[in-house]
Every structure is written in structure tokens, then in C-alpha cells.
Amino acid sequence: QVQLVESGGGLVQAGGSLRLSCAASGGSFSTYAMGWFRQAPGKEREFVAAISWSNTTYYTDSAKGRFTISRDNAKKTVYLQMNSLKVGDTAVYYCAVAKNPRVFRLESADFGSWGQGTQVTVSS
């Protein structure tokens, strides 16, 4: 089974940037589809971005044009580059692996092996 560890969160002013990393171990990373999700206090976990094992990318509307998901199979790591951050991006960010790498929806129910999360706080 795969284990995931997120890092790279922090405090940043609106308009700034952060790059999140998710390191995987204990699995065959190159065969995985990976996703980033976020959860703010009192809100449901929501999809942010995903990347398939063929490098196809998917984004929620609010992330398009600002966030970029990528992967480095040699390092078994997936990244989320976040630019032009907004206060509304404040949340705990989690990475996860698609339960089925060939067929998955952009919903948390189709992902598992969640990491511990990394806090992103955007101030005004």
C-alpha cells in the first residue's frame, strides 16, 4: 500500500505563491493517478487538481489558470504549484491516490491513501 506525505504549506499574502509536494512510498507510483484536495474549517473536502499516469491534468474551475499539478515519477512525488493565491484558497491541502487509475471521478470518494495534509493560509 502507498503512503503519502504532503509538505510545502505555509502562510502567504494574497497574490503570492506556494509549491506543495506530496511524496509517495510503498507503491508503484508511476502507475497511479494522483489528486490534490483541500478542506477548510466547517466545509467539505473539495477537489482541486489531479494528474493521471499518462500525465493528463484536471483542475477545478477556481484553480484553472492559477494552479499547476505535475509529477516526477523518478522522485515519486506530485506537486501543486499555486500562484496568485487568494484568501479563499486557505485550507488544509491533502494529496491522495485514485483507487482505480484508469477510471476515476474528480471526487474524494474515488481517492484513498490520504496524506496527513499541509496547511495553506492566505492572508489579505
Side-chain angles (χ1 to χ4, degrees):
Q1 294 184 338
V2 64
Q3 290 186 312
L4 306 175
V5 179
E6 301 96 334
S7 62
L11 176 65
V12 64
Q13 285 194 313
S17 299
L18 285 172
R19 188 179 76 158
L20 307 184
S21 298
C22 175
S25 62
S28 184
F29 182 79
S30 63
T31 69
Y32 298 159
M34 303 293 298
W36 283 99
F37 295 76
R38 65 189 181 190
Q39 187 167 27
K43 297 184 178 180
E44 296 181 342
R45 189 179 305 177
E46 66 175 352
F47 167 77
V48 178
I51 185 166
S52 75
W53 63 351
S54 61
N55 233 33
T56 302
T57 58
Y58 311 87
Y59 299 94
T60 191
D61 285 344
S62 65
K64 292 178 181 177
R66 299 191 300 129
F67 294 2
T68 303
I69 188 170
S70 61
R71 66 192 298 159
D72 185 333
N73 289 340
K75 295 182 177 180
K76 297 183 178 180
T77 301
V78 62
Y79 304 95
L80 185 67
Q81 177 67 47
M82 304 188 295
N83 299 325
S84 301
L85 283 162
K86 304 175 180 179
V87 173
D89 295 319
T90 295
V92 177
Y93 284 70
Y94 300 89
C95 65
V97 60
K99 296 175 182 178
N100 186 332
R102 290 165 292 280
V103 180
F104 60 93
R105 300 165 296 179
L106 304 179
E107 301 282 348
S108 61
D110 278 11
F111 290 76
S113 298
W114 300 92
Q116 85 289 346
T118 185
Q119 176 71 49
V120 172
T121 303
V122 184
S123 66
S124 61

